[in-house]
Amino acid sequence: MPLTFHSLPSFLPPFHISSSPIPEHNSLPFPLCLKQSFPTTTTTSRSSAVSAIGPDGKFYPNPSDDDPPVAPEDSMHGVSKFQQIQRQAARARKLQEEEFKKNQSIFVDALAEIEDPPESSISANDETSGDDLFGEIDKALALKRKEFVKQGLLKPNPKKNESQVVSGAQTEADIDELEPEEEVDLEEIKELSGLTEISEADDAGGSEEEKEEERSERSDFEASNELNNAEFSDLSSFDIDFDEFGKSKARIFEPKFRMSLAELLDESKVVPVSVYGNLELEISGIQHDSRLVESGDLFVCCVGRNTDGHLYLSEADKRGAVAVVASKEIDIEETLGCKALVIVEDTSAVLASLAASFYRYPSKNMSVIGITGTNGKTTTAYLIKGMYEAMGLRTGLLSTVAYYVHGDNKLDSSSTTPDAVLIQKLMAKMVHNGTEAMVMEASSHGLALGRCDEVDFDIAVLTNMTRDHLDFHGTEEEYRNSKAKLFSRMVDPERHRKIVNIDDPNATFFIAQGSPDVPIVTFAMDNKNADVHPLKFELSLFETQILVNTPQGILEISSGLLGRHNIYNILAAVAVGIAVGAPLEDIVRGVEEVDTVPGRCELIDEEQAFGVIVDYAHTPDALSRLLDYVRELNPRRIITVVGCAGESDRGKRPIMTKIATDKSDVTILTSDNPKNEDPLDILDDMLVGVGWTMQDYLKHGENDYYPPLPNGHRLFLHDIRRVAVRCAVAMGEEGDMVVVAGKGHETYQIEGDKNEFFDDREECREALHYVDELHQAGIDTSEFPWRLPESH
């Protein structure tokens, strides 16, 4: 039986949610997205006992005696008595830890001068404990001191033996006067004196393997304490970070899965065209990337847009693949280790089913919130994660920025666009480590390619929809239909919820997907008929303050997320909280705890006299919203650096330039992952947005003069992004705002076949330091490197 949300706090009573002007929908009390519905039955008592002895003297049992016992009604709402005790114990432990941290110095000083008793005396006390009250007190003090020594808060203070008490004036002659038996004893004492008792604190220098084995044998609480206090092991140094004291990360365990190939095909309901070889062999993993195959894996030969997995069978075989799923006839007798072959019609279509079956359908054991839309998915995902954790739920995250098992337990991964196998593997890891809910970005690519086919979503969220990825989808209609697949799964009114931004023109289309009986919660900034909308808001460079109206009351939120576009993201998270009946105080606390999201309107502060913002805005709509927000801050000038990716939607390139030059005082066009496309060709496409060509721009450069645009704004370009960023920072003056858009959290630049490290945030910091050095040297960089009209 899934353990989906058995440890939830009590929530608000049922309420009615209107979605006007959208047609009314049914509203139900929050079921906490349970993956399984349990019928409620009541037990009936028998009014009279019926004799089981017939007239012939034989025993005839009542047929009802063979009925299975009827489960009583769950009056505890899915929270067992054991789980209640666990919660109470956790709260008591937390209070005890807070009390200790508050009075830590007092406790340590009280035990500083007490001598460490020998281990033998502690063990002896264990055997003789009973009526000796003072002995029990001494034992408790000894154990507490031992714990402090282990944590590094106190130095060892061993009890002095008699040889140390004897005066140093004792001579060799005194020793010669000892009896023969005493001399023998003295020799033994001398031999033993070379042995030193090693305390547990000193033992911290052992091998990592030994320490890991030791920790695994302890309780989770003791292991957590050891990790918390690792920095206190060296008492010779006083570089102790008390801010980190008491903060711990749970140990993340890697689950192991094994299954026979026959069992995998049966549970996944994959119907093969033909099979060859031994289907009873054991599978220990699934991969469709030959570079990631390990010994014992099943290799699925997927046919993609650019390559064919069948061409890499030999590499997968060399890496240890034991079985193959293919859509073409393959001779496995020529392979080294492949013992079975399964032929299917479409390998890409069955990949998600195979992965979900192998990892035991992990999404069925969690509440899964899927977020789709063109912009705002990542920030909204972080906000919802924070809100769920404020409710006391372990919440995981799958986003384009990072993966989290729960809390601050981040997973290292080279990919931020997980495929069907990685999605199931990460979710299985979350379930194995106690994750109760997961927030996931459902991109149009992932939905169109079937990566999310076997993810059991409970809540679907639409942030907005504008033009994007037309190089992949072809038309805006196909792009919209891909995103609508998430909402088409919302069919169960008991469990599913739809969260929709009704300011978006496509809201009605998304609401119509799935079952009309599924409750809907709407949000908006302009449409005051939305269930969740702002009554008032204030924007600044450092915080955003919002007064939010909801069906359950008014919320006052102060967020570190900046800009009008982030108000939409906050409203989306609040709408999810209202849909699941979360306490209003948990909604506010969860949203306010998310101060920043990597690469999303991220401030770069090196104590400069002007602002610098790095943002992921890479679509026309996102760039327009970002620059509108910056303009609301009333800067003296806006200096924007922007580029367009290679081998992608060419149609948006001139639009991006038009938006940037209309809403920025100075625009610097540059490259952004050109891939195999010539950066100058990309810039030529972008210049169309202002009616220029690359030849026109180069002609201006011959005269060392770049004329202003008709609106009086300035436009420059440089195909090297690092140079463009440094130039923008160099031009910044007091009161200006420099905006570097397009890459955000990304830490790479793809040029041709090279994938090199590049981080806009680090480039901005380096540029700020470099420009500061120039200023200290008396060099004015405000007109560098391009001359302004007044200089002619």
Side-chain angles (χ1 to χ4, degrees):
M1 182 181 71
L3 300 176
T4 309
F5 267 95
H6 289 182
S7 60
L8 292 174
S10 58
F11 291 100
L12 297 173
F15 57 89
H16 177 73
I17 299 174
S18 65
S19 54
S20 162
I22 310 302
E24 290 285 329
H25 298 271
N26 293 339
S27 295
L28 295 173
F30 173 50
L32 295 177
C33 307
L34 291 175
K35 301 293 185 181
Q36 180 176 347
S37 297
F38 299 94
T40 58
T41 59
T42 58
T43 59
T44 59
S45 61
R46 300 172 185 171
S47 60
S48 62
V50 179
S51 174
I53 306 299
D56 55 357
K58 295 183 179 180
F59 177 74
Y60 294 95
N62 191 326
S64 63
D65 293 339
D66 296 330
D67 291 344
V70 179
E73 181 177 356
D74 183 12
S75 61
M76 304 177 72
H77 306 287
V79 182
S80 67
K81 188 66 176 178
F82 177 75
Q83 289 170 325
Q84 291 181 6
I85 294 173
Q86 278 187 319
R87 288 187 183 180
Q88 293 172 1
R91 285 194 291 266
R93 186 183 301 115
K94 183 178 180 181
L95 291 174
Q96 185 179 20
E97 291 173 351
E98 291 175 351
E99 181 68 16
F100 167 74
K101 184 176 180 181
K102 180 180 178 181
N103 302 308
Q104 175 181 317
S105 59
I106 298 175
F107 295 149
V108 172
D109 292 339
L111 299 177
E113 300 301 325
I114 297 178
E115 295 181 344
D116 295 332
E119 291 289 337
S120 58
S121 65
I122 297 178
S123 59
N125 285 337
D126 290 339
E127 299 174 358
T128 61
S129 61
D131 299 332
D132 186 3
L133 176 60
F134 293 100
E136 290 293 324
I137 294 175
D138 292 338
K139 174 187 171 185
L141 291 174
L143 291 175
K144 180 56 67 175
R145 177 176 173 79
K146 180 180 177 182
E147 179 183 340
F148 285 176
V149 171
K150 174 185 172 182
Q151 295 175 3
L153 297 174
L154 290 175
K155 292 183 178 181
N157 188 19
K159 189 174 182 179
K160 297 180 175 61
N161 54 41
E162 293 181 0
S163 61
Q164 293 174 312
V165 178
V166 174
S167 172
Q170 188 177 23
T171 62
E172 289 293 329
D174 296 329
I175 298 177
D176 292 340
E177 295 176 359
L178 294 174
E179 295 295 330
E181 295 81 8
E182 294 175 338
E183 291 179 3
V184 174
D185 295 339
L186 183 60
E187 292 298 326
E188 293 180 359
I189 292 173
K190 287 182 177 180
E191 292 178 4
L192 294 174
S193 65
L195 301 178
T196 304
E197 181 181 352
I198 306 228
S199 66
E200 291 183 0
D202 296 331
D203 195 39
S207 66
E208 289 297 326
E209 294 80 3
E210 293 173 350
K211 287 190 284 187
E212 187 65 28
E213 181 179 357
E214 180 185 357
R215 291 193 192 108
S216 65
E217 295 173 354
R218 302 176 182 174
S219 66
D220 292 341
F221 181 71
E222 289 175 334
S224 177
N225 280 341
E226 182 171 318
L227 294 175
N228 289 347
N229 302 294
E231 65 268 26
F232 294 105
S233 59
D234 184 9
L235 291 175
S236 61
S237 172
F238 290 94
D239 296 332
I240 298 176
D241 187 359
F242 286 100
D243 292 335
E244 294 300 320
F245 182 75
K247 296 182 180 179
S248 64
K249 291 185 179 180
R251 295 178 60 198
I252 302 303
F253 297 93
E254 190 74 40
K256 301 294 182 183
F257 295 88
R258 293 186 179 276
M259 183 183 294
S260 70
L261 182 56
E263 184 183 1
L264 178 62
L265 294 176
D266 181 58
E267 292 195 5
S268 64
K269 297 180 175 57
V270 170
V271 180
V273 176
S274 58
V275 294
Y276 305 93
N278 178 20
L279 296 184
E280 297 303 323
L281 60 83
E282 191 175 62
I283 303 298
S284 59
I286 297 180
Q287 285 295 347
H288 68 100
D289 187 339
S290 60
R291 297 167 296 182
L292 303 178
V293 170
E294 296 179 356
S295 179
D297 283 356
L298 169 67
F299 179 60
V300 183
C301 303
C302 292
V303 179
R305 300 180 68 187
N306 301 319
T307 186
D308 186 347
H310 297 82
L311 302 176
Y312 301 95
L313 174 60
S314 59
E315 182 180 354
D317 175 48
K318 293 176 183 178
R319 292 180 179 271
V322 296
V324 181
V325 176
S327 56
K328 302 175 183 179
E329 292 292 339
I330 296 175
D331 186 5
I332 62 172
E333 293 182 358
E334 297 181 359
T335 63
L336 299 174
C338 293
K339 305 299 182 184
L341 172 64
V342 179
I343 303 296
V344 297
E345 292 184 358
D346 186 351
T347 50
S348 298
V350 303
L351 181 62
S353 297
L354 291 171
S357 177
F358 181 78
Y359 290 109
R360 313 294 186 186
Y361 298 97
S363 63
K364 294 183 180 297
N365 294 319
M366 297 186 293
S367 176
V368 182
I369 303 94
I371 306 171
T372 194
T374 306
N375 304 307
K377 296 188 296 295
T378 300
T379 302
T380 303
Y382 270 80
L383 288 166
I384 296 174
K385 178 179 183 292
M387 182 182 64
Y388 267 64
E389 289 180 340
M391 290 191 286
L393 303 177
R394 290 187 169 190
T395 307
L397 175 69
L398 292 183
S399 76
T400 55
V401 174
Y403 307 146
Y404 287 88
V405 175
H406 55 70
D408 295 330
N409 300 287
K410 187 176 180 179
L411 292 175
D412 294 329
S413 177
S414 58
S415 172
T416 53
T417 53
D419 53 53
V421 176
L422 184 57
I423 288 174
Q424 298 295 330
K425 184 177 182 179
L426 292 172
M427 289 194 301
K429 192 169 186 177
M430 293 179 187
V431 171
H432 185 73
N433 287 276
T435 301
E436 299 164 289
M438 184 193 74
V439 189
M440 176 181 178
E441 292 184 39
S443 66
S444 60
H445 284 78
L447 292 167
L449 296 174
R451 296 171 182 168
C452 305
D453 282 354
E454 294 297 328
V455 179
D456 190 4
F457 290 101
D458 298 283
I459 300 175
V461 181
L462 173 71
T463 57
N464 51 66
M465 209 202 84
T466 58
R467 174 187 179 127
D468 197 15
H469 301 304
L470 296 192
D471 56 307
F472 177 83
H473 297 284
T475 65
E476 290 192 33
E477 184 179 4
E478 285 298 320
Y479 175 55
R480 186 181 68 171
N481 291 337
S482 296
K483 291 190 173 294
K485 288 182 177 181
L486 174 64
F487 281 78
S488 66
R489 301 187 193 179
M490 301 294 107
V491 295
D492 184 0
E494 295 290 332
R495 181 164 65 89
H496 292 152
R497 298 289 184 271
K498 301 175 185 177
I499 313 298
V500 182
N501 173 11
I502 59 173
D503 277 346
D504 192 280
N506 298 283
T508 305
F509 172 78
F510 282 90
I511 289 175
Q513 304 302 310
S515 170
D517 297 327
V518 172
I520 300 169
V521 180
T522 61
F523 68 95
M525 282 192 68
D526 302 327
N527 191 334
K528 301 307 178 184
N529 292 318
D531 298 310
V532 178
H533 62 270
L535 299 174
K536 180 182 179 182
F537 63 87
E538 293 182 3
L539 302 174
S540 71
L541 182 59
F542 301 102
E543 68 175 354
T544 300
Q545 294 184 344
I546 325 169
L547 207 60
V548 183
N549 183 68
T550 76
Q552 295 301 309
I554 297 176
L555 307 181
E556 187 175 349
I557 298 174
S558 178
S559 173
L561 301 176
L562 309 177
R564 179 185 290 266
H565 57 289
N566 271 322
I567 295 180
Y568 273 105
N569 301 329
I570 292 171
L571 295 176
V574 171
V576 172
I578 295 298
V580 301
L584 298 183
E585 59 270 19
D586 288 344
I587 296 177
V588 174
R589 187 170 71 254
V591 169
E592 290 185 342
E593 284 180 355
V594 181
D595 289 329
T596 58
V597 177
R600 301 307 192 269
C601 208
E602 186 171 347
L603 279 172
I604 307 300
D605 184 11
E606 296 293 326
E607 299 182 356
Q608 70 274 10
F610 53 92
V612 178
I613 289 178
V614 173
D615 192 86
Y616 187 56
H618 62 289
T619 65
D621 180 67
L623 182 63
S624 178
R625 289 171 182 262
L626 174 65
L627 295 177
D628 285 342
Y629 153 65
V630 174
R631 182 61 66 185
E632 288 185 70
L633 299 177
N634 297 317
R636 191 178 72 92
R637 291 186 306 170
I638 298 178
I639 303 171
T640 300
V641 178
V642 65
C644 291
E647 301 178 3
S648 63
D649 184 6
R650 294 184 61 184
K652 74 176 183 181
R653 292 174 182 175
I655 302 175
M656 295 282 283
T657 303
K658 176 66 175 173
I659 292 172
T661 53
D662 283 350
K663 299 187 175 185
S664 306
D665 299 277
V666 180
T667 301
I668 304 178
L669 305 181
T670 188
S671 61
D672 183 352
N673 295 332
K675 301 177 183 176
N676 292 310
E677 200 170 348
D678 189 336
L680 295 179
D681 291 340
I682 298 174
L683 292 172
D684 195 19
D685 290 343
M686 296 185 72
L687 286 171
V688 174
V690 293
W692 287 7
T693 65
M694 183 62 71
Q695 287 74 19
D696 295 333
Y697 184 82
L698 294 176
K699 187 179 297 183
H700 294 312
E702 292 176 358
N703 300 321
D704 194 24
Y705 171 68
Y706 299 92
L709 298 173
N711 60 5
H713 296 169
R714 310 280 298 166
L715 173 65
F716 308 106
L717 66 84
H718 204 291
D719 60 330
I720 300 177
R721 190 175 184 90
R722 176 173 287 107
V723 175
V725 171
R726 293 199 173 194
C727 290
V729 172
M731 296 170 71
E733 296 180 305
E734 185 173 356
D736 290 344
M737 184 67 73
V738 176
V739 178
V740 182
K743 299 184 75 67
H745 67 282
E746 291 180 353
T747 57
Y748 55 84
Q749 177 84 329
I750 304 175
E751 297 184 11
D753 296 331
K754 296 186 300 181
N755 188 329
E756 298 181 345
F757 176 82
F758 191 95
D759 188 334
D760 277 350
R761 296 163 295 183
E762 292 302 316
E763 292 298 328
C764 288
R765 291 187 181 97
E766 291 184 9
L768 287 168
H769 289 298
Y770 177 67
V771 170
D772 183 59
E773 292 177 359
L774 294 178
H775 290 171
Q776 291 180 10
I779 300 175
D780 180 14
T781 63
S782 60
E783 297 184 8
F784 175 83
W786 296 284
R787 298 170 64 184
L788 299 177
E790 51 267 25
S791 62
H792 286 265

